[in-house]
Amino acid sequence: MKTIGNIIYVIAGLWLLFSLVSCNDNDTFGSGSLTFEADTLSLDTCFSTIPTPHKTLMVYNNSGNGIRISRVYLEKMNQTGFRVNVNGTYLGSDAGFQTREMELREGDSLRVFVELTSRNNGDTVPKLLEDRLMFQLENGTMQYVSLKAYSWDAILMKDATLKKDSVISNVHHRPVVVYGTLTVDTNATVTIAKGTTMYFHSGAGIRVNGTLRIQGEKNENNKVNEVTLRCDRLDRMVSNLTYDNNPGQWGGIHFTDISHDNEFDYVDIHGATDAIVCDSAKNQNQTTLTLRHATIHNTKGVGLSSNSCNILMENTQISNTFGDCLSVLGGNVEMTHCTIAQYYPFDSARGYAMSFHNRIETVDYPLTLRAYNCLIKGYADDVMLWSANVAGKEPIDATFTSCILRTEALSDYQYMFKDCIFEDPNNSDYYPENSFVLFDTDNFFYDFTPKENTLPISKANGEFTLPTDRKGNERYSDQVHDIGCFETVKKP
């Protein structure tokens, strides 16, 4: 009897313990509904046939009871191209595009991953794709999250090598998307036509052995048809930062030592790692690159790096780079009405606005550098760096004429500066928010046109004035013009 009694007491104690644990774990399943992080999950605009990055959706049980989910499935099954993973279970064909019999205790959550690979839509504009992720609960409740995306048919270039003269354009308004390396072969001249936008996947870029021409324009109707080179992400990283405004999203352009006579006009290059790199030219009598009406902006490396090349820059902006905006080692460089602005917002260890050298260790790199009517600014007290082959004995062949510079005119190098203005870093008038038309560091938008009544206005040297500015605005011959690539518009 005593033994049986003890057993009863043990059973009763275990029952009480299990009851308490059950209550504490809220194992009571009943009525209630799920709470979704959002009622619609949007994948923004994507390119047809190209997989999108995944997005995440959280599903919560805040009902006060445990909830049994009988079934989770895509309403249109596999017809739209959406792919879904629910808490580690992929809703693919092997699972019948669904998952069944899930339990979600009160206070717990599910993580849902959604991707999309859409089919070609046969249209010249993005087409809306919609589906619904359905949650069928054991208590009879049906809930869903809407899935939406715009699918855009694209011209896909994947590790392409162009071996003959070619033209790249947005045929029938279809975007050009580049994966891997787009190579311009030795004897080929490739032209990117006016109005074309090229979208580069992560790490993708252009390697030029031959010749690359970018032919944006401002036409007779005063409309600019620029060429744009950018990343292929059309969505946002966070609410105030798009991938398009984030540096290091694609590889950039690399001119090899045999490339020559490259010409860019009316082009916007942004979001790259190293935007433009020019290797040491084998033929020193040829021009490697001519930049006119160009913008190089927001790079994770250098904006433009030139090693022993002939470079011509007119009405060009190079801005906001983690490395140097403009880095020159030897060669012949001429720059007129250029704006070099070093305000990289993502890292205070940013490089210089401009660096130029004619010697590295014991190796000489002959350099001729001429800058006219240029604006070179940045956050640092001194944004320029240079060195000569024998400092103080043999001068570096560089001159800046009628420029505004944020640097110090050291006594040994005063000969380099003719009619230049040197910014005082302690003068608030020279702060970027007081100098430029738009300097929005919260949303990463910039317009480096000088504000009216600021230092660059009407300080340019007429002898070196170009007929138009970066935007194609005329610089009228009877007026005094502005330093930098942007002209504050004045009526004739």
Side-chain angles (χ1 to χ4, degrees):
M1 290 292 294
K2 186 175 182 180
T3 302
I4 294 175
N6 288 340
I7 292 174
I8 292 174
Y9 285 130
V10 169
I11 293 173
L14 289 173
W15 177 84
L16 179 61
L17 177 62
F18 288 143
S19 297
L20 291 172
V21 170
S22 177
C23 291
N24 288 337
D25 285 347
N26 293 314
D27 279 342
T28 302
F29 292 87
S31 61
S33 59
L34 302 170
T35 300
F36 300 108
E37 183 179 18
D39 56 9
T40 300
L41 187 66
S42 174
L43 273 68
D44 302 301
T45 301
C46 62
F47 299 113
S48 305
T49 74
I50 298 175
T52 69
H54 73 263
K55 281 201 170 182
T56 303
L57 174 78
M58 297 300 299
V59 181
Y60 303 99
N61 178 9
N62 298 324
S63 67
N65 296 304
I67 293 177
R68 290 191 175 98
I69 305 170
S70 300
R71 184 183 176 208
V72 182
Y73 61 97
L74 281 168
E75 186 175 48
K76 298 179 181 178
M77 298 299 184
N78 65 335
Q79 300 305 305
T80 54
F82 286 101
R83 300 187 303 280
V84 178
N85 184 300
V86 179
N87 234 37
T89 300
Y90 173 56
L91 309 190
S93 57
D94 291 345
F97 304 100
Q98 61 185 322
T99 183
R100 289 181 174 274
E101 309 304 333
M102 301 177 67
E103 291 186 352
L104 194 62
R105 294 180 177 180
E106 199 280 327
D108 282 353
S109 61
L110 298 173
R111 188 182 299 271
V112 177
F113 299 95
V114 180
E115 300 174 341
L116 170 67
T117 302
S118 60
R119 301 179 180 89
N120 285 317
N121 65 48
D123 206 339
T124 60
V125 296
K127 182 178 180 180
L128 178 64
L129 293 178
E130 295 182 285
D131 206 338
R132 297 197 299 182
L133 183 61
M134 310 298 297
F135 290 79
Q136 180 180 336
L137 309 187
E138 185 185 57
N139 60 27
T141 301
M142 288 292 296
Q143 295 182 265
Y144 66 86
V145 175
S146 296
L147 307 180
K148 293 184 177 182
Y150 283 89
S151 175
W152 196 3
D153 287 358
I155 301 167
L156 180 61
M157 305 182 76
K158 188 172 184 179
D159 289 316
T161 298
L162 304 179
K163 297 185 177 182
K164 60 183 181 179
D165 294 355
S166 310
V167 176
I168 298 173
S169 64
N170 294 141
V171 179
H172 304 304
H173 305 287
R174 294 171 65 192
V176 178
V177 181
V178 178
Y179 271 64
T181 301
L182 173 62
T183 302
V184 179
D185 211 4
T186 306
N187 297 315
T189 295
V190 172
T191 300
I192 304 177
K194 61 186 178 183
T196 300
T197 298
M198 296 183 68
Y199 299 85
F200 293 82
H201 193 62
S202 177
I206 303 177
R207 181 180 177 84
V208 185
N209 297 314
T211 300
L212 179 63
R213 304 274 171 80
I214 294 181
Q215 295 183 341
E217 68 168 14
K218 187 166 186 179
N219 61 28
E220 61 274 8
N221 297 320
N222 216 31
K223 179 181 178 182
V224 173
N225 288 322
E226 288 203 332
V227 170
T228 301
L229 308 183
R230 51 155 294 171
C231 74
D232 68 344
R233 294 289 297 269
L234 305 176
D235 52 334
R236 291 181 173 273
M237 290 188 67
V238 292
S239 61
N240 68 331
L241 179 62
T242 64
Y243 278 95
D244 191 36
N245 282 340
N246 195 45
Q249 296 299 302
W250 60 285
I253 305 170
H254 179 194
F255 295 106
T256 67
D257 58 355
I258 57 175
S259 179
H260 58 88
D261 295 326
N262 303 282
E263 297 183 6
F264 292 5
D265 203 357
Y266 285 106
V267 61
D268 179 351
I269 303 169
H270 62 269
T273 301
D274 293 315
I276 298 178
V277 174
C278 302
D279 287 347
S280 178
K282 283 191 173 180
N283 189 337
Q284 293 294 311
N285 295 320
Q286 294 176 315
T287 298
T288 298
L289 177 63
T290 298
L291 287 171
R292 294 188 177 96
H293 307 99
T295 295
I296 300 169
H297 179 68
N298 200 29
T299 69
K300 198 172 184 179
V302 295
L304 169 58
S305 174
S306 172
N307 183 347
S308 300
C309 294
N310 296 331
I311 306 289
L312 174 64
M313 300 166 53
E314 296 179 347
N315 288 318
T316 290
Q317 170 190 319
I318 307 179
S319 51
N320 293 22
T321 65
F322 178 59
D324 295 346
C325 290
L326 175 61
S327 176
V328 176
L329 176 62
N332 294 278
V333 177
E334 181 176 317
M335 45 195 294
T336 306
H337 277 294
C338 293
T339 295
I340 314 297
Q342 179 53 299
Y343 297 101
Y344 187 75
F346 302 104
D347 196 317
S348 61
R350 63 186 76 84
Y352 289 89
M354 182 176 179
S355 65
F356 52 98
H357 311 276
N358 66 2
R359 183 180 178 89
I360 297 293
E361 295 180 348
T362 61
V363 181
D364 289 335
Y365 294 85
L367 169 67
T368 301
L369 173 65
R370 301 289 181 262
Y372 309 103
N373 294 337
C374 291
L375 177 63
I376 303 176
K377 288 172 62 73
Y379 277 128
D381 290 351
D382 191 336
V383 298
M384 297 177 65
L385 175 68
W386 64 86
S387 61
N389 51 1
V390 184
K393 294 183 180 180
E394 188 165 338
I396 188 168
D397 188 6
T399 57
F400 294 80
T401 302
S402 300
C403 296
I404 296 177
L405 310 170
R406 196 176 182 91
T407 190
E408 183 180 357
L410 301 174
S411 57
D412 289 340
Y413 296 98
Q414 288 183 358
Y415 69 90
M416 290 197 308
F417 306 107
K418 300 178 181 179
D419 299 321
C420 290
I421 299 172
F422 298 92
E423 284 194 347
D424 177 1
N426 297 315
N427 188 336
S428 62
D429 290 341
Y430 304 147
Y431 292 174
E433 58 271 21
N434 298 327
S435 300
F436 301 118
V437 167
L438 179 62
F439 197 82
D440 183 353
T441 55
D442 292 329
N443 298 291
F444 309 102
F445 295 133
Y446 305 86
D447 183 342
F448 292 107
T449 303
K451 285 184 177 180
E452 293 187 16
N453 302 317
T454 57
L455 195 57
I457 303 298
S458 301
K459 297 294 193 307
N461 186 324
E463 182 181 352
F464 305 105
T465 295
L466 298 172
T468 59
D469 77 345
R470 167 64 184 89
K471 298 177 182 178
N473 299 316
E474 289 190 44
R475 292 186 173 104
Y476 298 101
S477 59
D478 60 343
Q479 295 181 350
V480 180
H481 301 289
D482 305 336
I483 289 176
C485 66
F486 297 106
E487 184 80 0
T488 300
V489 177
K490 310 175 183 71
K491 295 181 179 180

mmCIF file of all heavy atoms in Angstrom, residues 22 26 32 52 74-75 139 161 170 193 195 330 356 372 472:
data_model
loop_
_atom_site.group_PDB
_atom_site.id
_atom_site.type_symbol
_atom_site.label_atom_id
_atom_site.label_comp_id
_atom_site.label_asym_id
_atom_site.label_seq_id
_atom_site.Cartn_x
_atom_site.Cartn_y
_atom_site.Cartn_z
ATOM 1 N N SER A 22 2.958 23.536 -19.187
ATOM 2 C CA SER A 22 2.070 23.780 -20.320
ATOM 3 C C SER A 22 1.489 25.169 -20.259
ATOM 4 O O SER A 22 1.424 25.882 -21.253
ATOM 5 C CB SER A 22 0.962 22.721 -20.333
ATOM 6 O OG SER A 22 0.053 22.976 -21.378
ATOM 7 N N ASN A 26 2.191 28.439 -22.854
ATOM 8 C CA ASN A 26 1.036 28.863 -23.639
ATOM 9 C C ASN A 26 0.723 27.864 -24.744
ATOM 10 O O ASN A 26 0.649 28.216 -25.915
ATOM 11 C CB ASN A 26 1.285 30.256 -24.237
ATOM 12 C CG ASN A 26 1.355 31.329 -23.172
ATOM 13 O OD1 ASN A 26 0.522 31.368 -22.277
ATOM 14 N ND2 ASN A 26 2.377 32.172 -23.271
ATOM 15 N N GLY A 32 -7.773 33.144 -32.943
ATOM 16 C CA GLY A 32 -6.754 34.183 -33.045
ATOM 17 C C GLY A 32 -6.277 34.303 -34.478
ATOM 18 O O GLY A 32 -6.646 33.500 -35.346
ATOM 19 N N THR A 52 16.190 38.184 -58.322
ATOM 20 C CA THR A 52 16.313 39.339 -57.444
ATOM 21 C C THR A 52 16.988 38.944 -56.135
ATOM 22 O O THR A 52 17.001 37.775 -55.756
ATOM 23 C CB THR A 52 14.929 39.919 -57.105
ATOM 24 O OG1 THR A 52 14.228 38.976 -56.265
ATOM 25 C CG2 THR A 52 14.120 40.195 -58.354
ATOM 26 N N LEU A 74 1.492 29.812 -52.104
ATOM 27 C CA LEU A 74 1.323 30.915 -53.045
ATOM 28 C C LEU A 74 0.015 30.726 -53.798
ATOM 29 O O LEU A 74 -0.250 29.646 -54.349
ATOM 30 C CB LEU A 74 2.491 30.960 -54.039
ATOM 31 C CG LEU A 74 3.791 31.587 -53.536
ATOM 32 C CD1 LEU A 74 4.927 31.302 -54.509
ATOM 33 C CD2 LEU A 74 3.619 33.084 -53.340
ATOM 34 N N GLU A 75 -0.787 31.757 -53.832
ATOM 35 C CA GLU A 75 -2.112 31.659 -54.443
ATOM 36 C C GLU A 75 -2.027 31.220 -55.910
ATOM 37 O O GLU A 75 -2.834 30.417 -56.383
ATOM 38 C CB GLU A 75 -2.828 32.997 -54.338
ATOM 39 C CG GLU A 75 -4.271 32.962 -54.806
ATOM 40 C CD GLU A 75 -4.973 34.277 -54.582
ATOM 41 O OE1 GLU A 75 -4.384 35.322 -54.946
ATOM 42 O OE2 GLU A 75 -6.097 34.278 -54.043
ATOM 43 N N ASN A 139 -8.138 27.234 -37.313
ATOM 44 C CA ASN A 139 -9.425 27.724 -36.795
ATOM 45 C C ASN A 139 -10.340 28.270 -37.889
ATOM 46 O O ASN A 139 -11.396 28.839 -37.603
ATOM 47 C CB ASN A 139 -9.200 28.790 -35.722
ATOM 48 C CG ASN A 139 -8.425 29.996 -36.244
ATOM 49 O OD1 ASN A 139 -8.465 30.311 -37.423
ATOM 50 N ND2 ASN A 139 -7.717 30.668 -35.346
ATOM 51 N N THR A 161 32.386 39.686 -75.064
ATOM 52 C CA THR A 161 33.557 40.292 -75.702
ATOM 53 C C THR A 161 33.133 40.823 -77.063
ATOM 54 O O THR A 161 32.643 40.054 -77.907
ATOM 55 C CB THR A 161 34.694 39.275 -75.865
ATOM 56 O OG1 THR A 161 35.124 38.822 -74.568
ATOM 57 C CG2 THR A 161 35.882 39.904 -76.571
ATOM 58 N N ASN A 170 19.753 51.427 -75.765
ATOM 59 C CA ASN A 170 18.522 50.880 -75.178
ATOM 60 C C ASN A 170 17.519 50.613 -76.294
ATOM 61 O O ASN A 170 16.578 51.374 -76.519
ATOM 62 C CB ASN A 170 17.932 51.845 -74.157
ATOM 63 C CG ASN A 170 18.804 52.028 -72.934
ATOM 64 O OD1 ASN A 170 18.935 53.123 -72.419
ATOM 65 N ND2 ASN A 170 19.425 50.969 -72.455
ATOM 66 N N ALA A 193 25.420 54.715 -77.211
ATOM 67 C CA ALA A 193 24.631 55.761 -77.854
ATOM 68 C C ALA A 193 23.972 56.682 -76.834
ATOM 69 O O ALA A 193 23.756 56.315 -75.668
ATOM 70 C CB ALA A 193 23.571 55.131 -78.753
ATOM 71 N N GLY A 195 21.492 58.728 -74.561
ATOM 72 C CA GLY A 195 20.287 58.328 -73.847
ATOM 73 C C GLY A 195 20.312 56.930 -73.271
ATOM 74 O O GLY A 195 19.339 56.493 -72.644
ATOM 75 N N GLY A 330 52.455 60.714 -63.391
ATOM 76 C CA GLY A 330 53.075 60.927 -64.685
ATOM 77 C C GLY A 330 52.063 61.209 -65.779
ATOM 78 O O GLY A 330 50.865 61.369 -65.538
ATOM 79 N N PHE A 356 48.903 64.197 -57.305
ATOM 80 C CA PHE A 356 49.683 64.048 -58.533
ATOM 81 C C PHE A 356 51.162 63.937 -58.172
ATOM 82 O O PHE A 356 51.656 64.614 -57.267
ATOM 83 C CB PHE A 356 49.425 65.202 -59.508
ATOM 84 C CG PHE A 356 49.591 66.582 -58.936
ATOM 85 C CD1 PHE A 356 50.771 67.303 -59.111
ATOM 86 C CD2 PHE A 356 48.551 67.184 -58.219
ATOM 87 C CE1 PHE A 356 50.920 68.579 -58.585
ATOM 88 C CE2 PHE A 356 48.693 68.464 -57.693
ATOM 89 C CZ PHE A 356 49.877 69.167 -57.871
ATOM 90 N N TYR A 372 42.970 74.805 -65.513
ATOM 91 C CA TYR A 372 42.461 76.153 -65.751
ATOM 92 C C TYR A 372 41.029 76.265 -65.243
ATOM 93 O O TYR A 372 40.189 75.394 -65.512
ATOM 94 C CB TYR A 372 42.478 76.477 -67.251
ATOM 95 C CG TYR A 372 43.788 76.221 -67.942
ATOM 96 C CD1 TYR A 372 43.967 75.088 -68.736
ATOM 97 C CD2 TYR A 372 44.852 77.106 -67.810
ATOM 98 C CE1 TYR A 372 45.169 74.842 -69.378
ATOM 99 C CE2 TYR A 372 46.065 76.873 -68.458
ATOM 100 C CZ TYR A 372 46.222 75.734 -69.239
ATOM 101 O OH TYR A 372 47.408 75.495 -69.874
ATOM 102 N N GLY A 472 25.560 71.822 -70.228
ATOM 103 C CA GLY A 472 25.303 72.312 -71.573
ATOM 104 C C GLY A 472 24.827 73.743 -71.625
ATOM 105 O O GLY A 472 24.498 74.260 -72.695
#
